[in-house]
C-alpha cells in the first residue's frame, strides 16, 4: 500500500499540515536525522585511515536528499538510491565504519513514515547492506595500507538494525492508519454539519464534491468518477482523487 502518492501538482515548497500527527512525526524524524550528522561527522573524520572529504561530501548529499524528501513529502526511488550510496560512502570514508550506525538508525526511522512497503523494504535492505559494502571497500582507499578494521564490531550490529527497522515500520504504519481514519471522520463530520438546513442544490453538490475529495486524499488509491449515459458511451461529468488524466468518456 502506498502512503504518499502525490500527484504531479505537488510543489517543492508546499507546507505540511500542522494538525496532522503524521506530518509532525515526519518533521521530528527529519530534524533527528539532520542532528545525527554533526554528532557523527567529527568522529568519522578523526583517527587513522580517515577520508574527510568523502565523508563531508556524503553528509552533504544526505542533507540534500532528506530535505528534498521532507519538502516534497514523497519517497522517490532515486532518493532512496542516493541515500544508500551516500551512507555507504560515509561508512567507507570513516576511520571506523561502525560510526555510520548513528546515521542509519535515524534515517531508517525517518524513512519508515514514507512510501509503500515494498519500496521501503528495498531501501532498508540497501541501508543494512551498506556497512557490509563499507567493510569490503574500506581497505582499498588510499592511506589504509597499514590500518586495521574491526569488521566483527561493524557487522555484529546488523541484527539490531533489522529489529529497529521492523519496529519503526510497525509504529509508523499504525500512526498513518489512525491519521487517515481521523481525516475521513473529519470530512464526513464537516459534511453532515454543513448540510443541516441547506436547500440550495448547487451548494449541496459543491459540499459533496469537497467531501469526496477529502475522502480520496485520506485513502490511497481511492478515486471517484461521476458519469452519465450518452448513447453507447458514458460521459464523465465529475471526478475526485489523484488521476493522471481524467477521461472525458468511457466505453459503454
Amino acid at each position: 500500500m502506498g502512503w504518499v502518492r502525490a500527484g504531479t501538482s505537488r510543489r517543492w515548497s508546499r507546507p505540511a499540515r500542522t494538525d496532522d500527527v503524521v506530518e509532525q512525526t515526519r518533521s521530528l524524524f527529519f530534524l533527528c536525522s539532520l542532528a545525527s550528522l554533526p554528532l557523527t561527522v567529527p568522529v568519522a573524520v578523526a583517527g587513522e585511515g580517515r577520508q574527510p572529504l568523502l565523508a563531508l561530501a556524503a553528509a552533504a548529499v544526505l542533507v540534500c536528499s532528506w530535505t528534498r524528501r521532507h519538502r516534497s513529502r514523497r519517497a522517490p526511488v532515486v532518493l532512496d538510491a542516493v541515500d544508500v550510496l551516500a551512507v555507504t560512502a560515509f561508512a567507507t570514508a570513516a576511520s571506523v565504519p561502525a560510526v555510520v550506525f548513528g546515521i542509519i538508525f535515524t534515517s531508517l526511522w525517518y524513512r519508515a513514515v514514507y512510501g509503500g512497503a515494498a519500496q521501503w523494504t528495498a531501501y532498508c535492505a540497501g541501508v543494512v547492506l551498506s556497512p557490509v559494502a563499507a567493510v569490503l571497500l574500506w581497505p582499498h582507499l588510499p592511506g589504509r595500507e597499514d590500518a586495521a578494521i574491526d569488521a566483527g564490531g561493524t557487522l555484529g550490529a546488523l541484527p539490531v538494525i533489522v529489529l529497529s527497522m521492523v519496529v519503526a515500520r510497525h509504529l509508523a504504519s499504525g500512526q498513518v492508519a489512525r491519521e487517515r481514519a481521523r481525516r475521513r471522520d473529519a470530512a464526513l463530520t464537516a459534511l453532515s454539519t454543513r448540510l443541516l438546513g441547506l436547500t440550495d442544490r448547487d451548494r449541496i453538490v459543491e459540499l459533496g464534491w469537497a467531501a469526496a475529495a477529502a475522502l480520496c486524499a485520506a485513502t490511497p488509491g481511492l478515486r471517484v468518477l461521476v458519469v452519465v449515459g450518452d448513447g453507447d458511451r458514458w460521459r464523465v461529468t465529475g471526478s475526485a482523487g489523484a488521476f493522471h488524466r481524467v477521461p472525458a468518456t468511457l466505453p459503454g
Side-chain angles (χ1 to χ4, degrees), residues 195-246:
L195 288 179
L196 292 176
L198 192 62
T199 58
D200 185 283
R201 179 184 181 279
D202 292 338
R203 180 57 178 163
I204 291 174
V205 172
E206 179 184 349
L207 292 176
W209 274 116
L215 291 174
C216 290
T219 310
L222 178 61
R223 294 175 292 178
V224 177
L225 287 177
V226 173
V227 298
V228 296
D230 186 8
D232 60 349
R233 301 177 301 172
W234 294 97
R235 181 165 47 86
V236 177
T237 60
S239 66
F243 287 90
H244 291 293
R245 182 180 63 84
V246 178

Side-chain angles (χ1 to χ4, degrees), residues 58-72:
V61 169
L62 287 173
V63 170
C64 294
S65 175
W66 293 340
T67 302
R68 180 68 180 91
R69 180 180 290 115
H70 180 65
R71 288 185 176 273
S72 64

Side-chain angles (χ1 to χ4, degrees), residues 112-227:
V113 289
Y114 287 95
Q119 186 180 337
W120 174 82
T121 302
Y123 175 86
C124 290
V127 171
V128 168
L129 291 176
S130 62
V132 179
V135 168
L136 297 176
L137 295 172
W138 197 89
H140 301 289
L141 266 68
R144 293 177 172 172
E145 292 78 7
D146 300 323
I149 180 174
D150 183 11
T154 300
L155 303 182
L158 294 183
V160 180
I161 295 179
V162 174
L163 178 62
S164 176
M165 74 183 195
V166 172
V167 173
R169 183 66 177 192
H170 174 73
L171 294 177
S173 61
Q175 187 177 67
V176 168
R178 288 190 295 272
E179 179 60 26
R180 287 175 178 167
R182 184 194 69 81
R183 292 171 61 185
R184 287 191 290 265
D185 290 343
L188 294 175
T189 300
L191 176 63
S192 60
T193 301
R194 292 168 181 168
L195 288 179
L196 292 176
L198 192 62
T199 58
D200 185 283
R201 179 184 181 279
D202 292 338
R203 180 57 178 163
I204 291 174
V205 172
E206 179 184 349
L207 292 176
W209 274 116
L215 291 174
C216 290
T219 310
L222 178 61
R223 294 175 292 178
V224 177
L225 287 177
V226 173
V227 298

